[in-house]
Amino acid sequence: MKFRDGMWMTAEGFNVEYAEETYEITQTEKGLSLLCPTRKIFTRGNTLNTSTVTIDIEAAAEGIISVETTHWAGAQNRGPHFELFPDGKPAVEAKISSDEAAGTTTLSAGSLSAVVTNPGEQHAFDIRFRGAASSSSSGARESESDGTRHLTALLGRSVGLAYSPAWSNAMQTGDMRDFSHYMFTQTQLSVGETVHGLGERFGAFNKVGQSVTLWNADGGTSSEQAYKNVSFWLSSRGYGVFIDHPGRVELEVGSERCTRVQTSVEGQRLKWFLIDGPTPRDVLARYAMLTGRPGTLPAWSFGLWLSTSFTTSYDEETVRGFLEGMRARGTQVDVFHYDCFWMKGFRWTDFVFDAERFPDPKAQIARLKASGLVSKVCVWINPYIAQHGAAFREAAAKGYLLRRKNGDVWQWDLWQAGMALVDLTNPAAVAWYKACLATLLDVGVDALKTDFGERIPTRDVAWFDTSVDPERMHNYYAFLYNKVVYEALQARHGNNEAVLFARAACAGTQRFPLVWGGDCESTPEAMAESVRGGLGLGLCGFSFWSNDIGGFEGSPQPWIYKRWVAFGLLCSHSRLHGSSSYRVPWTIDADDPSDQGCSAVLARWTAVKTRLMPYLFAQAAVAVQGGLPLSLRAMCIEFPDDPTSWYLDRQFMVGDSLLAAPVFEESGEVQFYLPQGSWTSLFTGQVRQGPGWFTETHGFDSMPLYVREGTILLLGKKGVKGIVYDYEADVEVCVFQGKPGGWSSSSAAAVVDKSGKKLGTITVGEDGELQGTDVLRGAWSRSAVDALRL
């Protein structure tokens, strides 16, 4: 939302008032409170007929400071509110100091400080934020003369309030029913600074120059809309900003004033947290502490998931035929997913299997698992309840559905006829919904795909919890929905065995993994969109992410399908899923039997991921602990001092040590960038020296997959089928330009078992010999890099 018409004029239809000076500073228990009038105060008379903005700056945790701006403090602060510090708020000391010579007052929260210009004759408004000194030589994060790093600032006319429509007489604001009221702040952008994150966004990776609206929507992957709007962004200068507002947030990222990021919300308050680095890893670790660390996922979820697809026709015979066909062509499926039509049409979601196609679902699922064709089963659900199912009648009668203000159940015909929405602010409705989910778990369901949850109404609605604001519930509903389903799965399967496959999300939803990228087209451009979406979401604390291999809409050409298979099997989680066409490989290319056919390529890349599991599962634990993406991990997380890394949106890291560059051209040509150091191709053993750009051409059975210098990579036994096996047994230990000793991630390998328990760490000693191998079992071996083949 733009409040200005260029540099000099206010946008048509708005009154805009800015905090013009810091008139008074009051020390509080947690920090500083600034009284900032919207005109400069030269005489006592200037204090009359003048609005003020109160700015409360507080130490929230070590390296985290909150900034809250308020116009009218008497306005209700309605919920819902993000669950902050869910694992407990750490103690922090708010240190306040004054520098009379400089005319400033400073609040410090560990490494982070806010420096405020004192009231005085200059009538100044100036708040500067400084972070911990960095050892980096990067010009993007140069140190100040006092050893701190300049992060950002709130300078003149950067904090304020706005009315729409514009009023001509202040008396009109006595009745605010005819006005919208906004609060905004503008943080300074430095020269060359880039901005990333804000959820799973499919446009340009660097958000500078973009107008971004944080409002969950079912918009596919080819628009400015997003399923997962997360009010957090990461700066290349080594800090992050979390906006503590679950409703609509409008951002102008260098798009109204080129040197500022403007954040605006409707209401009387705007609060955000500034999070210090200096590295992206540091920022994400603190952000995870603030909004919650990702949940831990079981090993089986990392395997290949096969879906029935959306509108296709299927029954038990179809399902078994798919799985037998996959096995016959060399691919083991770990999870089978039943999409929408496991239920009858016009009855989604009533939790009842279509009796005509699935007369005995419990027995069918048991037969599938007993056959070894699949180990786990997932089914599709959503929080919408169509009126033609028995679930609707019960929920409506008992008051479990969202209502209109006149008491009617809120309904519409978009998606399902007469569908309603489960009111998750009603504890009784939550208990009922969990009981419905339990009926699915009773028949052998292991995971739940929590689809939809974006189209949450805000007008003419009355939530059971009258304290919540419908506008703030729109995005936040995704958090409640996924939390309820996750808790139901935890209650049945255990805390670390719950698995979602969710589409909608907001800040904090990373606690309930996992998510996938929504409805993409079957084109190389859509695959690139998916990469950008995964990269952005990974910079918002989400460790686990997937997408629809081959694309959701349309029917992929064989070459696109095969290139997407390679990309999809290097994501943390991998699923074959489509809309109106199947994604089993033999339907894509008329069952081409060659080693470059779809079936062979799928078997190849499934085997690659299976063999990588000793590495991937160990890295998953590191990702969860640090709030990091396992894959897709943006290059800037691992190489923040390389300026190029902040612009790379067609490649990613898989954990700490593997670099992957998907192929988007039918010819197999791909251009990619290697940061400084030695990099070894996992497939050929070829060593390249970075930094630099490289161009290669690949068949469908390979792609640029390079191993970082100093890596000790554990690979599972060749030929193993199924993603779950003993990750400490019969492994290959591969050393890539190994560095003697050391316990850094690049020269040590954690060994975990299939439950995720850490058994030990393998390093390379001064004599070049492996140390810590006593935790390995079976016929493990050390491989020479130049002989490595998968």
Side-chain angles (χ1 to χ4, degrees):
M1 179 173 291
K2 293 181 171 66
F3 298 110
R4 303 291 301 179
D5 180 3
M7 283 284 290
W8 319 119
M9 300 176 68
T10 300
E12 184 177 352
F14 286 96
N15 287 114
V16 182
E17 302 173 25
Y18 297 94
E20 294 285 5
E21 70 169 276
T22 301
Y23 180 76
E24 183 178 281
I25 300 177
T26 303
Q27 184 172 333
T28 66
E29 180 181 356
K30 297 180 180 179
L32 303 172
S33 184
L34 316 182
L35 176 60
C36 303
T38 58
R39 64 187 294 187
K40 294 187 183 295
I41 306 301
F42 297 104
T43 69
R44 289 184 174 183
N46 293 151
T47 64
L48 304 177
N49 300 312
T50 299
S51 62
T52 61
V53 176
T54 302
I55 305 178
D56 292 304
I57 308 174
E58 297 183 350
E62 200 285 330
I64 305 177
I65 284 177
S66 67
V67 177
E68 183 171 26
T69 65
T70 305
H71 179 206
W72 290 336
Q76 297 181 63
N77 191 9
R78 299 179 68 187
H81 302 285
F82 287 121
E83 294 182 3
L84 301 183
F85 299 106
D87 296 324
K89 192 176 187 301
V92 61
E93 181 182 359
K95 294 184 177 180
I96 298 174
S97 60
S98 296
D99 185 333
E100 293 185 8
T104 59
T105 300
T106 298
L107 165 68
S108 297
S111 63
L112 180 61
S113 60
V115 183
V116 182
T117 298
N118 291 336
E121 295 180 358
Q122 299 300 317
H123 300 276
F125 181 89
D126 191 307
I127 306 170
R128 298 177 187 254
F129 299 94
R130 296 177 180 174
S134 172
S135 59
S136 165
S137 60
S138 168
R141 295 196 302 276
E142 292 178 352
S143 296
E144 301 289 300
S145 59
D146 61 358
T148 61
R149 293 163 29 252
H150 170 72
L151 303 181
T152 187
L154 294 171
L155 303 179
R157 294 203 155 193
S158 65
V159 175
L161 57 107
Y163 296 89
S164 178
W167 46 261
S168 57
N169 184 322
M171 291 286 289
Q172 295 172 260
T173 63
D175 184 353
M176 288 296 294
R177 291 175 296 179
D178 295 330
F179 295 94
S180 294
H181 182 282
Y182 303 91
M183 297 296 295
F184 65 85
T185 61
Q186 298 175 343
T187 52
Q188 198 75 3
L189 279 173
S190 297
V191 176
E193 184 174 357
T194 59
V195 170
H196 309 268
L198 295 173
E200 183 191 57
R201 319 204 76 81
F202 303 103
F205 181 51
N206 176 14
K207 301 299 181 278
V208 173
Q210 297 183 37
S211 298
V212 177
T213 300
L214 303 183
W215 189 251
N216 284 1
D218 178 6
T221 69
S222 291
S223 76
E224 80 286 355
Q225 295 180 5
Y227 304 103
K228 305 170 190 68
N229 288 272
V230 181
S231 50
F232 171 79
W233 52 271
L234 178 72
S235 165
S236 60
R237 290 188 68 86
Y239 69 91
V241 173
F242 170 62
I243 305 157
D244 187 14
H245 185 86
R248 184 189 296 269
V249 179
E250 304 275 358
L251 294 109
E252 299 294 338
V253 189
S255 48
E256 179 175 89
R257 288 202 62 177
C258 297
T259 58
R260 293 181 177 182
V261 177
Q262 177 174 282
T263 302
S264 63
V265 300
E266 186 171 357
Q268 296 290 338
R269 297 177 181 86
L270 169 58
K271 183 176 183 179
W272 44 263
F273 293 81
L274 188 72
I275 305 173
D276 187 24
T279 70
R281 280 176 173 263
D282 298 326
V283 174
L284 289 174
R286 288 182 170 128
Y287 174 72
M289 176 177 62
L290 180 63
T291 62
R293 291 182 176 85
T296 298
L297 288 174
W300 59 261
S301 71
F302 291 79
L304 180 63
W305 295 47
L306 175 63
S307 167
T308 58
S309 294
F310 172 35
T311 58
T312 54
S313 178
Y314 65 94
D315 53 19
E316 179 174 359
E317 183 180 357
T318 306
V319 171
R320 191 174 186 92
F322 282 167
L323 293 171
E324 289 175 343
M326 295 288 274
R327 172 177 285 184
R329 292 164 178 82
T331 296
Q332 176 65 42
V333 174
D334 289 280
V335 185
F336 191 83
H337 169 69
Y338 296 81
D339 217 56
C340 316
F341 280 98
W342 64 270
M343 296 173 285
K344 279 184 174 293
F346 292 110
R347 289 167 174 80
W348 302 343
T349 296
D350 66 354
F351 311 99
V352 179
F353 276 83
D354 183 345
E356 293 179 12
R357 294 181 177 272
F358 307 100
D360 190 350
K362 184 173 184 178
Q364 177 192 340
I365 291 172
R367 286 192 294 270
L368 281 182
K369 293 180 179 180
S371 70
L373 291 170
V374 68
S375 61
K376 301 291 181 180
V377 165
C378 174
V379 299
W380 175 97
I381 61 169
N382 63 200
Y384 309 141
I385 310 296
Q387 71 177 12
H388 294 288
F392 178 90
R393 292 189 291 275
E394 180 183 5
K398 294 183 177 180
Y400 298 159
L401 302 176
L402 178 64
R403 294 189 177 274
R404 299 188 186 275
K405 291 180 179 179
N406 67 1
D408 292 347
V409 172
W410 180 90
Q411 291 179 266
W412 65 6
D413 292 323
L414 186 61
W415 183 240
Q416 287 287 286
M419 56 154 271
L421 184 69
V422 180
D423 187 341
L424 296 178
T425 70
N426 182 347
V430 169
W432 170 81
Y433 196 70
K434 287 182 176 180
C436 292
L437 298 178
T439 65
L440 298 179
L441 305 183
D442 289 342
V443 302
V445 170
D446 304 284
L448 293 166
K449 175 182 172 180
T450 49
D451 204 354
F452 287 83
E454 302 94 357
R455 294 172 178 169
I456 308 303
T458 60
R459 301 178 65 183
D460 190 28
V461 294
W463 293 92
F464 177 84
D465 182 350
T466 58
S467 70
V468 303
D469 180 344
E471 189 265 350
R472 294 166 70 95
M473 277 295 295
H474 176 85
N475 288 351
Y476 195 74
Y477 190 88
F479 178 89
L480 294 178
Y481 170 39
N482 288 297
K483 181 181 182 182
V484 166
V485 179
Y486 193 72
E487 289 176 345
L489 286 164
Q490 284 182 312
R492 177 61 60 92
H493 297 309
N495 287 346
N496 295 329
E497 290 290 322
V499 180
L500 303 185
F501 218 91
R503 191 173 76 173
C506 63
T509 315
Q510 69 270 10
R511 292 162 52 189
F512 321 119
L514 66 114
V515 296
W516 100 98
D519 299 348
C520 48
E521 297 177 311
S522 299
T523 65
E525 293 80 10
M527 184 166 71
E529 291 166 2
S530 294
V531 172
R532 294 194 296 269
L535 290 173
L537 191 66
L539 291 174
C540 296
F542 286 73
S543 291
F544 306 110
W545 180 85
S546 184
N547 63 99
D548 291 342
I549 295 176
F552 177 74
E553 294 289 351
S555 299
Q557 298 178 49
W559 79 266
I560 294 173
Y561 178 88
K562 288 181 281 191
R563 294 302 183 189
W564 211 315
V565 161
F567 158 52
L569 267 297
L570 290 173
C571 298
S572 76
H573 289 75
S574 310
R575 183 183 68 159
L576 294 164
H577 181 64
S579 178
S580 58
S581 58
Y582 300 121
R583 290 294 178 265
V584 287
W586 56 90
T587 66
I588 305 296
D589 63 358
D591 207 8
D592 179 356
S594 73
D595 61 2
Q596 293 290 297
C598 289
S599 293
V601 170
L602 178 61
R604 159 76 165 175
W605 286 101
T606 303
V608 168
K609 186 170 191 180
T610 301
R611 291 205 65 202
L612 284 171
M613 270 303 287
Y615 166 77
L616 291 174
F617 207 39
Q619 286 288 306
V622 175
V624 165
Q625 187 60 32
L628 299 168
L630 172 59
S631 177
L632 285 51
R633 182 177 298 180
M635 298 295 295
C636 57
I637 293 178
E638 295 298 321
F639 305 96
D641 297 330
D642 185 334
T644 301
S645 73
W646 292 92
Y647 295 91
L648 298 172
D649 63 0
R650 297 191 302 277
Q651 62 185 70
F652 53 89
M653 297 294 290
V654 182
D656 297 341
S657 300
L658 296 182
L659 183 153
V663 179
F664 300 98
E665 299 292 335
E666 186 172 5
S667 66
E669 185 174 280
V670 55
Q671 188 178 50
F672 59 97
Y673 178 82
L674 296 177
Q676 184 173 359
S678 295
W679 295 84
T680 305
S681 169
L682 188 60
F683 295 125
T684 68
Q686 179 182 10
V687 178
R688 293 189 181 277
Q689 297 295 324
W693 286 92
F694 301 90
T695 301
E696 296 178 353
T697 301
H698 287 263
F700 295 114
D701 58 353
S702 68
M703 65 182 287
L705 184 59
Y706 278 82
V707 188
R708 191 176 186 174
E709 179 181 11
T711 294
I712 302 172
L713 182 66
L714 301 187
L715 296 175
K717 184 179 179 180
K718 292 181 180 178
V720 65
K721 296 292 185 182
I723 207 73
V724 181
Y725 55 93
D726 293 327
Y727 303 138
E728 75 278 17
D730 304 322
V731 299
E732 284 187 60
V733 183
C734 310
V735 181
F736 296 82
Q737 294 91 36
K739 299 176 181 178
W743 289 83
S744 70
S745 61
S746 62
S747 59
V751 182
V752 299
D753 65 15
K754 60 188 176 185
S755 71
K757 178 183 178 182
K758 185 175 180 179
L759 304 177
T761 304
I762 295 178
T763 60
V764 179
E766 294 290 345
D767 57 1
E769 296 298 317
L770 295 174
Q771 297 181 344
T773 58
D774 55 302
V775 298
L776 300 179
R777 298 191 296 107
W780 69 271
S781 62
R782 176 171 178 170
S783 296
V785 172
D786 59 2
L788 179 64
R789 300 290 187 274
L790 282 177

